[in-house]
Amino acid sequence: MTDDIVDRIAEVTPELDALRRRRPVTREQLQASFDALFRPVSVEHVSQAERELVAAFATGLAGADDPTAAFYAARAQAADPQPATVVLAEAAAAATQGPFGTYTELGLQAENTDGVRYVPSDAVIASVGERLAAALAHTHLLVFRPREASGADLGRLLDAGWSADGIVTLSQLVSFLAFQQRVVTGLRVLTAVGLTAENSEEEAA
């Protein structure tokens, strides 16, 4: 079997491995995205610890018992234990069901929904710093209220010390994690319902 991050988180079985091999390009690109974001050539704009902490927060919004969340929680605690404790507690407190938000397009206002908006407290800002606190708030926005993201939100990141390149990386990180989390969840569902070697090709078709 190919040893990659999704395989490890999902605890891939031989049947799931056969299923994933039907989509080799998708599998390779998913691992390549992980490598680019978490084993980068440069951490000039987003430090390694920031990547791990944001990942723990983003995936932790699904609940600490989520396997992807558990994977990134462990990485964050290894990278920077003190802020990781704060970040994980914030993720647990800020978890909700989404997405939601307000549409600006005409004719879509009937689909507007409201929900939790995460704003780091003064205590959290003092503990993890304004820069990381701003990243957590933006991450929550992208996960649960992407339709509301605006230039003003980017301005808050710039004010907190994020560069334009750093903001792009942050957004890519959150997008990648959402996709990776969905893939892992899907694979584990297939395991739970009893995917077998005989039906793996049918599922992959």
Side-chain angles (χ1 to χ4, degrees), residues 47-160:
S47 73
Q48 189 67 42
E50 287 173 333
R51 293 165 193 259
E52 305 295 353
L53 292 164
V54 168
F57 182 80
T59 56
L61 293 171
D65 59 343
D66 179 272
T68 309
F71 173 79
Y72 286 106
R75 289 177 62 95
Q77 288 166 331
D80 206 340
Q82 188 277 326
T85 299
V86 176
V87 166
L88 293 173
E90 289 297 285
T96 186
Q97 296 292 322
F100 50 84
T102 302
Y103 283 104
T104 57
E105 296 85 354
L106 292 176
L108 295 178
Q109 279 69 36
E111 298 183 30
N112 291 347
T113 56
D114 203 1
V116 175
R117 284 161 173 73
Y118 173 70
V119 179
S121 68
D122 291 342
V124 168
I125 295 173
S127 180
V128 304
E130 183 179 356
R131 177 181 164 93
L132 180 58
L136 299 184
H138 195 70
T139 296
H140 197 275
L141 171 73
L142 294 180
V143 171
F144 291 117
R145 296 185 290 120
R147 73 186 70 159
E148 292 185 0
S150 67
D153 298 299
L154 301 182
R156 280 187 280 273
L157 287 172
L158 291 170
D159 291 343

Side-chain angles (χ1 to χ4, degrees), residues 6-7 22 27 33 39 54 80 107 123 137 148 154 160 162 166 192:
V6 167
D7 284 352
R22 296 296 298 269
R27 191 179 201 175
S33 295
R39 299 165 181 164
V54 168
D80 206 340
E148 292 185 0
L154 301 182
W162 287 87

Side-chain angles (χ1 to χ4, degrees), residues 1-3 7 12-28 204:
M1 292 184 197
T2 301
D3 179 24
D7 284 352
V12 72
T13 63
E15 291 76 23
L16 287 180
D17 179 63
L19 181 64
R20 296 198 74 202
R21 286 181 185 278
R22 296 296 298 269
R23 299 289 186 270
V25 174
T26 300
R27 191 179 201 175
E28 291 167 6

